[in-house]
Amino acid sequence: MNGLKRTPLYAAHQRRQARLVEFGGWEMPVQYTSIVEEHLCVRRAAGIFDISHMGEVRCHGPAAARFLNVLLTNDLDKLSVGMGQYTLMCNPQGGVVDDLYVFRRAEHDYFLVINASRIEADWNWMQAQWQAFADRAEVILENQSDLTGAVAVQGPAVVHFINLCLQGPSTAGTTANRVTDLKKNQIGRFSFEAMPVWVSRTGYTGEDGFEVYTCASLIESFWEACLDAGRAAGLQPAGLGARDTLRTEMCYPLYGHELNENTTPLEAGLKPFVALEKGPFVGRDPLLEQQRKGVSRRCVAFKMPEKQPPPRPGYPLWVPNSSGPVGQVVSGTQSPSLGVGIGMAYLPAAYALPHTIVEIEIRGRRIPAEIVPKPIYRPATAA
Amino acid sequence: MSQNVPDSLKYTKSHEWIRIENGLAVMGITDHAQHELTELVFVELPAVGRKVTAGEAFAVVESVKTASDVYAPITGEVVEVNLAVTQNPGLVNAEPYTGGWLVKLKPANPAELDQLMNAADYRALIGV
């Protein structure tokens, strides 16, 4: 796997004999034991994921919030210190440059977590927008992706051990005596081995859990300490395979599948994260127009009957009486929780309604699938 | 990696195994193949009576991650399929050479069997 980047946890993955694959330019663990087992372990107990490949950008200075409100679709003014929000970054046509999380770590200090495969594109885009921003002297952008190591610890059992490996109270971000006092979307600075560690109560699995960001050199000892602390509660390392099946059950978008530069957040069903009323931002005009006219296609979730082959990205979708395919699957897999094929697909808006029966073409056969409300699976235990 | 390559079987480059039993060719995918594919969640087998040519894709095995074609090791007719693996695809992972067999073929040309690999050649191919 020449030319692929490795995270600071590469040696830890090798020690556990993880199966490594290419993902967005990185050599990453797809599984340690089995995707299904790791998936179910996250739903029933807890899993720890290496997310060091993801990018981190710090944006600070007196005009940081104003700059980010032009750059991003969600309303930064709703973010109090110590809170994070899901948001999108659009191009002038309303297409998605990336989807990301932004945390307000201090009054004028923001932390953006971006997709691994988009670090370079995002960084170039952010710098170009910064150049065009009148008060750029009051905004500092720093790409901290290479300096940062990160893990996600996810699952209902996480609350039983996470305090064992992180010391509180939080010394920045939100106030919290210990990690488990964080509420959903909150971020605080805790400590591990006397070093600062940022912890947010967020994740990409639908389960309760935390994401932990620290310097690259510290992340391996945190990974091992966390695995030790969580062993009795059933914590296991989980790979990108389980991460993908877990997020698909939740209908969380993945860049390059549900989202790309030619897809708008409204088509993707992400309107709650687009604050059209907040004032000008990049991509707002075409999005307002789309909002007025209505979208022509939508991203829907679907479920297949039992004993059918799993749907895969790229499979064509038919609707009753259509003379050809009208859409295609963008994410698809066998759901380990439900035991049936599930996925997401783009369809003409007229057909994008729950309980509509569509057909997915698999190896020349057309197999019925039902459009279902999102998420496809509802965890019993999420915070 | 310790992978099981029984001496008594014949193998293909595309990771199928074959064994002659009462004049019929029982076939499946190798231990190496099931390991590479990871935990199977779906198996699609051909209809009984289908005539296949050596090298033709005639079954599909799928893990959570990928779909993979299975190729006919020899030319012949499908005379029996293992419905147990369609009910429980994990059988292919657990018992690739026994309970996890896929189909039985009636060979059209027994001489084709000589062109398949022996265990030593297959071990060399997969590097074990």
Side-chain angles (χ1 to χ4, degrees):
Chain A
M1 294 195 222
N2 282 341
L4 293 181
K5 288 184 270 187
R6 291 173 175 176
T7 77
L9 288 169
Y10 179 78
H13 302 322
Q14 280 205 312
R15 275 201 302 278
R16 289 195 160 73
Q17 300 186 320
R19 183 183 294 246
L20 297 161
V21 296
E22 191 273 336
F23 176 83
W26 294 77
E27 190 174 354
M28 295 296 293
V30 65
Q31 65 173 43
Y32 302 83
T33 56
S34 112
I35 292 174
V36 175
E37 188 191 325
E38 290 161 25
H39 176 112
L40 297 175
C41 181
V42 172
R43 290 267 181 256
R44 290 169 187 162
I48 183 168
F49 299 85
D50 179 8
I51 56 165
S52 304
H53 59 313
M54 297 192 73
E56 293 83 14
V57 173
R58 186 181 171 208
C59 178
H60 58 118
R66 267 196 295 129
F67 172 69
L68 290 176
N69 248 341
V70 174
L71 187 74
L72 305 173
T73 61
N74 210 338
D75 187 356
L76 261 284
D77 293 342
K78 288 182 181 159
L79 218 50
S80 51
V81 170
M83 289 295 297
Q85 68 182 194
Y86 178 72
T87 185
L88 298 116
M89 184 158 70
C90 285
N91 61 30
Q93 294 75 44
V96 180
V97 176
D98 203 0
D99 66 326
L100 59 130
Y101 241 86
V102 56
F103 295 98
R104 189 175 185 185
R105 297 204 300 200
E107 187 64 24
H108 298 299
D109 195 351
Y110 294 83
F111 183 66
L112 281 60
V113 183
I114 60 180
N115 280 300
S117 62
R118 299 297 289 170
I119 294 172
E120 199 184 339
D122 287 4
W123 181 241
N124 291 339
W125 179 250
M126 285 180 198
Q127 285 183 306
Q129 298 310 303
W130 177 81
Q131 281 293 345
F133 186 65
D135 296 325
R136 61 182 170 274
E138 293 178 31
V139 181
I140 299 162
L141 279 174
E142 292 172 55
N143 183 354
Q144 302 183 330
S145 303
D146 292 342
L147 311 171
T148 311
V151 297
V153 196
Q154 301 276 297
V158 173
V159 289
H160 301 309
F161 62 81
I162 193 79
N163 290 325
L164 300 175
C165 44
L166 286 162
Q167 285 77 52
S170 67
T171 52
T174 195
T175 23
N177 281 324
R178 49 192 188 148
V179 174
T180 49
D181 289 344
L182 290 173
K183 295 186 177 66
K184 196 171 168 61
N185 288 336
Q186 283 186 330
I187 190 166
R189 190 176 63 193
F190 298 84
S191 84
F192 171 71
E193 293 181 355
M195 296 287 284
V197 175
W198 287 92
V199 183
S200 62
R201 197 158 195 167
T202 50
Y204 195 49
T205 61
E207 298 297 331
D208 187 12
F210 300 87
E211 291 177 310
V212 176
Y213 302 90
T214 189
C215 57
S217 57
L218 193 66
I219 200 71
E220 189 175 346
S221 16
F222 179 77
W223 166 274
E224 296 298 341
C226 193
L227 277 166
D228 282 344
R231 186 163 295 120
L235 174 68
Q236 284 183 25
L240 289 182
R243 191 168 164 82
D244 194 51
T245 52
L246 288 157
R247 71 94 195 166
T248 304
E249 288 184 345
M250 294 307 298
C251 301
Y252 293 154
L254 174 61
Y255 199 88
H257 289 247
E258 285 71 28
L259 303 175
N260 61 55
E261 298 223 24
N262 301 312
T263 301
T264 75
L266 302 185
E267 293 165 347
L270 300 172
K271 198 177 146 206
F273 310 100
V274 182
L276 288 170
E277 71 293 345
K278 75 172 176 176
F281 62 87
V282 183
R284 182 180 181 235
D285 291 345
L287 292 175
L288 269 174
E289 178 79 359
Q290 203 171 47
Q291 162 94 336
R292 254 197 312 271
K293 287 187 178 166
V295 293
S296 59
R297 58 180 193 142
R298 278 181 203 284
C299 184
V300 297
F302 65 85
K303 210 157 100 174
M304 301 191 62
E306 279 180 36
K307 303 287 171 205
Q308 295 297 341
R312 309 282 179 191
Y315 284 1
L317 243 86
W318 299 58
V319 294
N321 305 319
S322 64
S323 56
V326 294
Q328 67 171 218
V329 175
V330 284
S331 288
T333 187
Q334 181 82 359
S335 162
S337 302
L338 304 172
V340 297
I342 60 164
M344 283 178 276
Y346 276 95
L347 270 186
Y351 299 101
L353 301 166
H355 313 303
T356 304
I357 302 296
V358 297
E359 289 173 334
I360 297 175
E361 185 183 326
I362 304 181
R363 297 185 280 276
R365 274 199 303 147
R366 277 151 53 187
I367 297 166
E370 183 187 353
I371 297 177
V372 294
K374 297 176 183 177
I376 300 167
Y377 173 82
R378 282 177 197 277
T381 52
Chain B
M1 229 163 280
S2 64
Q3 277 162 11
N4 189 9
V5 181
D7 284 327
S8 55
L9 307 178
K10 296 276 201 174
Y11 299 88
T12 65
K13 282 183 186 153
S14 47
H15 309 288
E16 289 87 11
W17 59 263
I18 194 166
R19 168 176 77 226
I20 299 298
E21 218 175 78
N22 304 324
L24 296 179
V26 185
M27 63 83 58
I29 64 167
T30 65
D31 190 32
H32 172 78
Q34 71 76 18
H35 189 264
E36 286 296 305
L37 285 164
T38 76
E39 198 170 357
L40 297 189
V41 294
F42 186 82
V43 175
E44 191 168 286
L45 298 177
V48 170
R50 177 164 159 190
K51 292 197 166 65
V52 294
T53 309
E56 181 184 338
F58 79 137
V60 179
V61 286
E62 302 203 40
S63 66
V64 167
K65 213 67 198 144
T66 52
S68 182
D69 285 328
V70 178
Y71 300 91
I74 56 166
T75 303
E77 183 184 334
V78 177
V79 292
E80 191 179 339
V81 297
N82 186 1
L83 294 175
V85 298
T86 61
Q87 293 298 315
N88 175 16
L91 260 184
V92 178
N93 298 105
E95 308 171 11
Y97 301 116
T98 53
W101 65 276
L102 298 179
V103 307
K104 291 182 186 172
L105 292 163
K106 189 175 165 191
N109 176 12
E112 276 180 355
L113 290 165
D114 300 333
Q115 289 158 22
L116 298 172
M117 272 186 279
N118 63 26
D121 292 342
Y122 186 68
R123 278 188 205 107
L125 177 78
I126 61 172
V128 297

